[in-house]
Amino acid sequence: MNGEPDIVRELRGAEKQGEMKELKEEDEKISQIVDKNPIPTLVIDNKHIITHWSKALERTTGLSAEEMVGTKKQWKAFYSKERPILADLLVDNRSENDIVTYHSNKYRKSALVEGAYEDEDFFPHLGDDGKWFFFTAAPLRNVNGVTIGAIESLQDITEWKKINDRVVSSEVKFRSIFENANDAIFLMSEDTFIECNPKTEEIFGCCRGDILQRKPYEFSPPYQSDGRDSKENALERINAAFAGEPQFFEWKHKKLDGTLFDAEVGLNRIEIEGKAMLQAVVRDITERKQTEEKLRNSEEKYRNLVEMAPDATITVDLKGAITSCNTAALKMIELPKDEYIGRQLSEVGPLQEGDMPKYLEVLDSLKMGKTPPPLEFQFKRKDGISGWAEGHIGLLKRNGKIIGAQLIISDITGKRMALNELKDAHELLFTINRGLERKIQERTSEIEKLVKQKDEFINQLSHDLKTPLTPIMILMPIVNEQLKDVKSRDLMKVINRNVYFIKDLVDKTVDLARLNSTKIEIVVEDTNLLSEINNIIENSQVLLDENNISIENKIGEKIFVKADRLRFGELLNNLITNSIKYTPDSGGEITIDAKEDGDFVTISVNDTGMGIKQERLSHVFDEFYKADISRHDLDSSGLGLAICKRIVEKHGGKIWVESPGRGKGTAFYFTLKSGKNNQNPQE
């Protein structure tokens, strides 16, 4: 009865051998993927143990995979003392408040990987002068969405940070630009001006003191040109800018003397000393608006705009010969202008001869009135280095006749590289997740098979034990009647007690096995707690009186719970019986109480019995465990509290025990979902 069946041992041994072999093969595959990734990468499981430490990460941190894999020392690569890294927080499903605790407000959710977070930090002990890293951590989940680990990758941004620091150190230079700018520049806290440059005074016809601590809509007419309320419109744009959406729009402003003027306004969110503010740039376009129609037809204006554009702009005639280009285009192809104009586009680039069919397809689509997507292609410089570009193509017309085409080309090499890196990371995560999901499915199937065999074994064992017990229990009273001497009757009592103990043990073992099964269903109904417990106490009164124990039910009459009455009665009977067994022979008290807490009711059974030592509290719900190991009588099977735990869990609640110590009593607590009073009120 206490040993493990041969079939279970054989299955377990076979399972272990096959599982270890498959795990080893799977681990070798994942290790190769991680090691070949040029991005420093580590993977941890749901117990925070490092499973993979890439070659790139070895080079970055100086710590080898040999000394790191299998440990929980991932912090050692980055910090001087133990603390969780971002991957640890995701494995534990920690809240964003916990992430803030360790990463301040520098972290952010990844826009590309679901459930991932990004952050950047400085690590002074890496390299000669320390290093800055941008890192991304993403949870690894199984097919059921349960987190089974996390992956974290790092990107060295030290050089970028140095450049940024040089920019910050140039504050004096940018302050000079601020003071001498030809546009009005404001700083705003919420919707209030807190700083402005000298040009502001000129444009608005007032002094600095007339502007600060006032609102932008105070320098506007009541309504804008489109009829919208100025204050409402301004607040809408300010809120959008604070939310991270830069705003650029035309606005009707009002000078201090009431004179109206047209302006272009740009709003951008910035941070100064950790506080979010808005930078507002206001340009007086009154004169430009008055001459806009004339300037629109001005070729000189067009040329200037094209020349200053950051993207390459090229025009060609109907034969593909280049007719004009801007400075950005010449930088991209690295040719002087006199060697470029007049040449064929396919000959000097940036489009190559192999790209021309795609280019001609775009032109044909434009001629048919369609809007084709941008054209992506590779270009080469004189030094042979390749880059990626995105070209927007449009038709040039004169008097309704097509005379050529215009290409606006952006260098997207950096963007393309970043997308490729993200694609590689996605593929790696997909491969890892797929392998883990397969292993989990295999293990689940094997476990279900073993559980089924266990249940069948227990049911068969129960049947085999009950079969001989039944005639014994029937015959014992008959035999007992025939015994004459006292000694024989005493021996029969011992036999009787042992037989009933075996029957109780078998019944509770089967009951526990059924409660452990996922197939068992409980039928809950709204139950009056006071009434139900009173009935249970009444049924236990004889046992309470025999043991000199008083019981008090302090539960209010209006408390209802959702419970399976049969299982609830078994639960409370087990708890009351447990209190009786561990109360001294001199007697004691049991108090039952309940407290409503939101959607749940917490019920307590408190006794004045022998109590439980602190080191044993965590084991009282274990199967076959007895809190008092000195008790070897047959009064307890060691399964009653384990059954209580399963019953509470089947109801969606939880159960726990508290005790001040030996001789100070014990209190059991469990929760059930709150119920409703569905009884008809009395007339």
Side-chain angles (χ1 to χ4, degrees):
M1 290 176 60
N2 295 327
E4 201 173 52
D6 290 341
I7 186 173
V8 176
R9 288 198 298 271
E10 290 173 5
L11 284 171
R12 186 167 294 163
E15 172 196 14
K16 185 175 182 181
Q17 292 175 5
E19 180 178 299
M20 292 301 294
K21 180 180 177 182
E22 292 177 8
L23 282 175
K24 184 176 180 182
E25 293 175 354
E26 191 66 22
D27 187 64
E28 289 175 355
K29 292 178 184 178
I30 296 173
S31 296
Q32 290 181 30
I33 295 171
V34 172
D35 283 345
K36 291 180 181 179
N37 188 357
I39 301 173
T41 305
L42 66 92
V43 179
I44 63 174
D45 63 17
N46 61 356
K47 295 181 179 178
H48 304 275
I49 296 174
I50 301 170
T51 60
H52 298 86
W53 190 272
S54 73
K55 296 292 184 184
L57 190 56
E58 286 184 337
R59 293 191 293 271
T60 299
T61 64
L63 299 173
S64 68
E66 183 178 2
E67 63 182 299
M68 297 303 290
V69 171
T71 74
K72 296 182 179 180
K73 297 179 180 179
Q74 47 269 36
W75 60 271
K76 190 176 179 181
F78 312 105
Y79 305 106
S80 59
K81 59 182 180 179
E82 185 173 355
R83 55 158 283 183
I85 66 173
L86 190 54
D88 288 314
L89 299 175
L90 296 188
V91 164
D92 288 340
N93 293 316
R94 299 281 280 273
S95 67
E96 289 196 22
N97 289 334
D98 291 331
I99 297 178
V100 170
T101 299
Y102 289 101
H103 295 272
S104 185
N105 288 316
K106 296 180 292 182
Y107 82 97
R108 62 179 178 270
K109 290 184 177 179
S110 172
L112 299 171
V113 182
E114 183 180 356
Y117 286 84
E118 301 170 345
D119 199 355
E120 63 181 53
D121 207 348
F122 180 70
F123 302 94
H125 67 283
L126 294 178
D128 295 332
D129 301 313
K131 286 183 178 291
W132 279 93
F133 283 105
F134 175 83
F135 44 95
T136 302
L140 301 176
R141 298 188 175 98
N142 63 17
V143 71
N144 296 318
V146 176
T147 300
I148 57 174
I151 183 170
E152 185 163 335
S153 59
L154 298 87
Q155 181 180 353
D156 190 338
I157 59 170
T158 306
E159 290 303 316
W160 180 85
K161 276 290 186 179
K162 288 179 179 178
I163 294 171
N164 187 61
D165 289 342
R166 287 197 293 270
V167 172
V168 173
S169 67
S170 303
E171 183 179 353
V172 174
K173 173 184 175 181
F174 289 103
R175 183 70 187 181
S176 176
I177 294 173
F178 176 77
E179 295 291 344
N180 296 289
N182 201 38
D183 294 326
I185 302 176
F186 298 92
L187 283 181
M188 296 172 60
S189 175
E190 296 180 350
D191 64 341
T192 303
F193 294 129
I194 61 171
E195 184 59 283
C196 65
N197 67 347
K199 188 67 176 180
T200 304
E201 298 176 317
E202 178 185 335
I203 290 179
F204 284 86
C206 59
C207 65
R208 185 168 177 270
D210 296 322
I211 296 175
L212 300 188
Q213 301 305 314
R214 295 183 65 183
K215 317 288 186 182
Y217 39 82
E218 293 179 28
F219 294 90
S220 307
Y223 299 96
Q224 288 298 303
S225 301
D226 59 1
R228 288 197 62 184
D229 181 273
S230 291
K231 180 177 179 180
E232 177 185 306
N233 197 350
L235 290 174
E236 181 180 310
R237 294 183 181 277
I238 289 170
N239 290 335
F242 268 118
E245 300 175 14
Q247 302 290 302
F248 186 77
F249 52 93
E250 290 188 3
W251 193 260
K252 185 75 72 175
H253 265 306
K254 181 176 65 174
K255 297 187 178 185
L256 190 63
D257 63 3
T259 303
L260 300 179
F261 66 96
D262 292 303
E264 276 182 349
V265 179
L267 298 178
N268 285 281
R269 185 182 187 270
I270 61 174
E271 285 196 8
I272 299 178
E273 297 181 352
K275 183 177 180 181
M277 295 186 181
L278 286 189
Q279 179 192 59
V281 179
V282 178
R283 175 175 295 178
D284 187 341
I285 59 170
T286 304
E287 185 176 348
R288 194 193 77 188
K289 291 284 285 186
Q290 293 172 350
T291 59
E292 192 172 28
E293 191 63 30
K294 295 179 182 179
L295 291 175
R296 185 178 294 114
N297 299 319
S298 171
E299 186 178 352
E300 187 62 29
K301 178 191 174 185
Y302 168 76
R303 288 177 180 172
N304 288 337
L305 290 172
V306 171
E307 191 62 30
M308 292 185 294
D311 296 328
T313 302
I314 303 167
T315 61
V316 297
D317 62 18
L318 293 175
K319 295 181 179 180
I322 299 165
T323 56
S324 71
C325 66
N326 65 351
T327 302
L330 297 175
K331 287 182 179 179
M332 179 174 284
I333 60 172
E334 297 181 338
L335 280 176
K337 193 170 186 176
D338 57 353
E339 293 182 21
Y340 192 62
I341 302 299
R343 305 275 294 275
Q344 287 293 312
L345 183 64
S346 60
E347 178 185 356
V348 291
L351 285 172
Q352 304 300 308
E353 186 173 353
D355 299 315
M356 296 312 295
K358 293 186 289 184
Y359 165 70
L360 294 175
E361 286 180 11
V362 172
L363 289 180
D364 289 340
S365 295
L366 291 170
K367 291 175 183 177
M368 296 172 64
K370 298 180 180 179
T371 305
L375 177 65
E376 286 194 10
F377 59 92
Q378 281 188 291
F379 66 93
K380 289 187 178 180
R381 301 183 177 89
K382 279 187 176 181
D383 57 12
I385 297 176
S386 296
W388 279 93
E390 182 178 80
H392 294 264
I393 303 171
L395 298 176
L396 294 177
K397 295 181 180 181
R398 181 179 294 163
N399 299 324
K401 185 179 180 181
I402 298 172
I403 60 172
Q406 180 185 58
L407 292 82
I408 300 176
I409 301 170
S410 304
D411 187 337
I412 61 168
T413 305
K415 174 184 174 182
R416 191 67 178 261
M417 291 175 63
L419 289 174
N420 287 338
E421 290 177 358
L422 286 172
K423 181 181 178 182
D424 292 341
H426 276 295
E427 291 176 353
L428 174 62
L429 287 172
F430 177 77
T431 302
I432 293 173
N433 277 331
R434 186 172 55 186
L436 291 172
E437 288 170 2
R438 186 174 63 254
K439 291 301 300 178
I440 290 170
Q441 289 173 351
E442 292 172 357
R443 289 183 181 182
T444 301
S445 177
E446 292 169 356
I447 290 170
E448 288 175 348
K449 183 178 179 181
L450 289 173
V451 169
K452 182 180 178 182
Q453 290 176 341
K454 183 201 73 172
D455 290 341
E456 289 173 353
F457 171 75
I458 291 174
N459 288 331
Q460 184 62 43
L461 181 63
S462 169
H463 177 267
D464 292 343
L465 287 173
K466 282 184 175 181
T467 300
L469 282 176
T470 301
I472 292 173
M473 294 176 69
I474 294 172
L475 292 172
M476 279 193 307
I478 300 173
V479 173
N480 190 57
E481 288 295 328
Q482 296 177 0
L483 294 175
K484 304 301 181 182
D485 61 290
V486 175
K487 186 176 181 180
S488 296
R489 285 180 176 272
D490 289 339
L491 290 174
M492 182 55 70
K493 288 181 181 178
V494 174
I495 296 172
N496 185 69
R497 187 166 65 252
N498 278 274
V499 168
Y500 274 94
F501 173 77
I502 293 172
K503 180 182 182 299
D504 180 66
L505 182 60
V506 171
D507 289 341
K508 287 188 174 178
T509 301
V510 173
D511 196 23
L512 185 60
R514 289 171 179 167
L515 287 169
N516 284 331
S517 171
T518 57
K519 296 179 180 179
I520 187 173
E521 293 184 2
I522 61 172
V523 181
V524 299
E525 56 184 318
D526 294 305
T527 304
N528 182 274
L529 194 57
L530 175 63
S531 176
E532 195 66 20
I533 291 179
N534 279 337
N535 291 336
I536 296 168
I537 292 173
E538 184 178 346
N539 293 334
S540 304
Q541 195 61 53
V542 174
L543 185 60
L544 292 165
D545 292 341
E546 288 177 353
N547 289 272
N548 195 26
I549 295 174
S550 64
I551 189 165
E552 181 180 10
N553 185 359
K554 299 174 67 175
I555 296 173
E557 62 181 8
K558 295 183 179 180
I559 297 179
F560 283 78
V561 294
K562 292 185 179 296
D564 183 313
R565 291 189 174 183
L566 181 62
R567 291 296 180 182
F568 179 75
E570 184 181 4
L571 164 65
L572 206 64
N573 274 324
N574 281 344
L575 292 177
I576 292 174
T577 302
N578 186 76
S579 293
I580 293 172
K581 281 188 290 188
Y582 291 94
T583 296
D585 295 336
S586 58
E589 298 177 356
I590 298 175
T591 304
I592 303 176
D593 204 351
K595 179 177 69 175
E596 292 179 296
D597 186 12
D599 296 332
F600 284 85
V601 174
T602 301
I603 304 161
S604 63
V605 179
N606 200 330
D607 64 53
T608 58
M610 61 187 296
I612 305 174
K613 291 181 179 180
Q614 291 300 311
E615 62 269 21
R616 302 189 187 281
L617 285 174
S618 60
H619 297 289
V620 297
F621 298 105
D622 294 350
E623 297 173 15
F624 301 104
Y625 181 82
K626 297 182 181 181
D628 183 5
I629 59 175
S630 65
R631 294 169 67 103
H632 296 287
D633 55 42
L634 299 179
D635 291 338
S636 173
S637 64
L639 293 174
L641 292 180
I643 291 174
C644 288
K645 184 174 186 293
R646 300 302 187 277
I647 292 173
V648 171
E649 289 173 345
K650 287 292 183 181
H651 281 77
K654 59 182 181 178
I655 186 170
W656 68 99
V657 61
E658 296 177 2
S659 177
R662 295 288 291 179
K664 298 180 179 180
T666 305
F668 284 89
Y669 299 87
F670 63 95
T671 62
L672 295 175
K673 293 179 181 178
S674 296
K676 297 180 180 178
N677 183 3
N678 295 322
Q679 300 174 357
N680 293 325
Q682 297 294 325
E683 293 295 336

